[in-house]
Amino acid sequence: MAGVVSKVAVIGSGISGAVCASILAKNGISVTVFESARGPGGRMSHRRETSEDGRELSFDHGAPYFTVNSKNLEVQSIINEWESRGLIAEWKETFGSFDFSTKKFVNVDEEGSNKRYVGVPGMNSICRALCHEPGVESRFGLGIGRVNWLEDIDMWSLTSLDGHDAGHFRGVVTSDKNTFSSRFTNVTGKPPPIDLNSISDMALQIKEVPTIPCFALMLAFEQPLSSIPIKGISFKNSEVLSWAYCDSSKPGRLTSRLVYVCELWVLHSTAEYAQHIISQAGFQKPSSALLTKVAEELFEEFQSTGLDISQPYFKKAHRWGGAFPAASIAGEEKCFWIAQKRLAICGDFCVSPNVEGAIGSGMEAAAKVIKGMRLTPL
Ligand SMILES: Cc1cc2nc3c(=O)[nH]c(=O)nc-3n(C[C@H](O)[C@H](O)[C@H](O)COP(=O)(O)OP(=O)(O)OC[C@H]3O[C@@H](n4cnc5c(N)ncnc54)[C@H](O)[C@@H]3O)c2cc1C
């Protein structure tokens, strides 16, 4: 790390924010990451659960894996570095499709030619490591509720969701579109932390991005599901299920501590199914009764494949209200940059609705901030 010169706040510890923070720190800019959740990762989260009989389980209940287009050399270089540090590994299992109309597996081994990468031992491992690099201070469980530009001192002032002063910063990177969109208001009833209209005439360009929801179902089985010949399944002709993954088949998962766990699976609902449930129940936090109903319905659909699927000893659903952005809005720029106020906006919604897009956006936001800081030294 070069000599530390100035402070930037990064809002969000998902992969775009974590990548951005780590690059800033490596370039001598001290960073504070603010994350409203208890831990890092955002939609690359890893969740610990305990079964009724006390077994410790853990699931990647967000992104199950990611790929990188081999022509995307910038992102590939950062991936290679993570692989050599042991933060990620290739998931080499066989993938394929299952067609509900014929009740048959199809296209086995033909699902994509790019390498599938996973974080080790969980998808959040990458963000966790990046958020703890030298020069990065991370504050988890601290959501930002207000971001104000102070013209007289040429700085940003941040306030936490519960109204406490979170500090002054020369630059801000926000990596979640909810920090400036009406979805924040739908969920919290409060105005979004950043009022783009008061900050920049670019506000009109930075559109509201609709999101696509998804329910994830975490399952633990006593015995391996030996009737299923593959470890990643995309479903065709189902209105309810889109994917199923054998989580415990990923590299670095079943440690000796988890030896009694046997086999873990994560199922993903279709967007249509999730939209239907949310249109009835609303945006607020789902009740446990609703999550139980969703868990039953997703599992019933899994069993209706006709494959031999035993009852799991653990079954729990999670709602992702905004699993994927429905549009990418930054084009070739890959992020938004408001130079006069050193504000960067990044995330998957800027480039493409996946981990690769989020990494590329976070890298570009860091490049903009580094250049901006050099142009306006203290
Ligand atoms: C079910 C599911 C399946 C997926 N499958 C795949 C896949 O197969 N392959 C793939 O490449 N991608 C997949 N994705 C998408 C991938 O996870 C995302 O594209 C990527 O993780 C987005 O990263 P991000 O940094 O842009 O946003 P996020 O991960 O959403 O990070 C934003 C962070 O900001 C935090 N935050 C928000 N507001 C505040 C605030 N006011 N104060 C403090 N913190 C705040 C949030 O808590 C969050 O941690 C999947 C996602 C889901 C949910």
Side-chain angles (χ1 to χ4, degrees):
M1 190 184 42
V4 171
V5 288
S6 47
K7 268 197 132 183
V8 168
V10 173
I11 305 174
S13 71
I15 194 70
S16 62
V19 163
C20 179
S22 136
I23 296 175
L24 292 178
K26 283 197 179 97
N27 281 274
I29 296 174
S30 76
V31 194
T32 307
V33 176
F34 294 98
E35 171 56 60
S36 48
R38 277 175 299 166
R43 280 170 280 155
M44 290 177 82
S45 291
H46 187 71
R47 179 146 152 182
R48 287 187 186 284
E49 295 283 350
T50 308
S51 67
E52 273 178 13
D53 59 359
R55 283 183 262 190
E56 285 180 48
L57 310 168
S58 57
F59 299 89
D60 293 330
H61 66 313
Y65 70 95
F66 64 96
T67 56
V68 179
N69 184 320
S70 54
K71 291 190 188 127
N72 192 346
L73 299 180
E74 271 198 318
V75 172
Q76 189 65 55
S77 72
I78 212 168
I79 299 297
N80 293 346
E81 186 212 317
W82 295 343
E83 199 170 11
S84 65
R85 285 169 65 183
L87 296 177
I88 59 172
E90 190 184 348
W91 190 16
K92 292 184 175 160
E93 296 289 347
T94 307
F95 275 43
S97 301
F98 181 88
D99 191 335
F100 266 83
S101 58
T102 58
K103 305 273 181 208
K104 286 206 168 90
F105 284 99
V106 286
N107 303 332
V108 170
D109 240 355
E110 287 175 17
E111 292 282 315
S113 53
N114 289 326
K115 278 185 178 182
R116 295 182 194 97
Y117 294 103
V118 296
V120 177
M123 282 302 277
N124 65 349
S125 311
I126 313 160
C127 296
R128 183 178 301 286
L130 300 180
C131 284
H132 289 98
E133 284 184 343
V136 183
E137 182 195 353
S138 291
R139 303 190 63 186
F140 300 112
L142 200 159
I144 294 300
R146 201 75 223 140
V147 179
N148 284 325
W149 173 248
L150 306 177
E151 190 75 53
D152 48 339
I153 56 169
D154 196 32
M155 278 205 156
W156 292 99
S157 151
L158 268 60
T159 310
S160 69
L161 275 171
D162 55 9
H164 291 105
D165 177 18
H168 287 67
F169 298 87
R170 294 197 62 227
V172 168
V173 178
T174 183
S175 68
D176 193 307
K177 60 186 164 11
N178 292 340
T179 52
F180 53 84
S181 82
S182 59
R183 187 153 188 279
F184 185 88
T185 311
N186 291 342
V187 176
T188 64
K190 295 179 182 169
I194 302 179
D195 176 6
L196 283 178
N197 292 309
S198 73
I199 288 170
S200 160
D201 52 13
M202 277 171 65
L204 281 178
Q205 247 181 285
I206 305 171
K207 296 187 281 279
E208 288 271 337
V209 183
T211 50
I212 299 169
C214 174
F215 281 94
L217 177 63
M218 298 166 274
L219 297 168
F221 296 94
E222 295 284 1
Q223 301 293 332
L225 300 184
S226 45
S227 64
I228 302 183
I230 53 180
K231 302 299 183 195
I233 312 167
S234 75
F235 292 107
K236 295 189 189 305
N237 296 312
S238 168
E239 287 174 8
V240 178
L241 280 183
S242 65
W243 280 92
Y245 304 94
C246 180
D247 214 40
S248 50
S249 72
K250 293 177 180 175
R253 292 307 192 273
L254 281 184
T255 61
S256 55
R257 191 176 57 83
L258 297 172
V259 78
Y260 299 112
V261 163
C262 207
E263 204 161 86
L264 305 181
W265 283 76
V266 177
L267 314 186
H268 289 170
S269 77
T270 58
E272 294 71 26
Y273 172 84
Q275 262 147 2
H276 172 69
I277 299 285
I278 291 171
S279 69
Q280 292 178 327
F283 276 113
Q284 66 273 25
K285 196 170 177 242
S287 64
S288 55
L290 179 74
L291 290 177
T292 304
K293 171 182 135 67
V294 167
E296 290 303 332
E297 289 179 357
L298 296 184
F299 185 66
E300 255 174 42
E301 183 78 351
F302 194 33
Q303 280 194 312
S304 77
T305 51
L307 301 162
D308 183 14
I309 297 169
S310 54
Q311 280 298 325
Y313 65 87
F314 178 87
K315 180 166 65 179
K316 189 168 183 179
H318 175 86
R319 186 193 73 180
W320 291 100
F324 306 97
S328 309
I329 57 169
E332 294 293 304
E333 295 292 316
K334 297 187 186 167
C335 70
F336 292 95
W337 173 239
I338 296 158
Q340 311 86 309
K341 293 175 182 159
R342 297 176 297 276
L343 172 70
I345 297 173
C346 65
D348 61 349
F349 61 95
C350 290
V351 178
S352 56
N354 49 37
V355 173
E356 179 180 5
I359 295 171
S361 187
M363 291 172 86
E364 190 56 36
K368 293 277 197 299
V369 173
I370 292 163
K371 199 168 159 202
M373 291 294 214
R374 284 187 187 138
L375 288 175
T376 55
L378 276 173

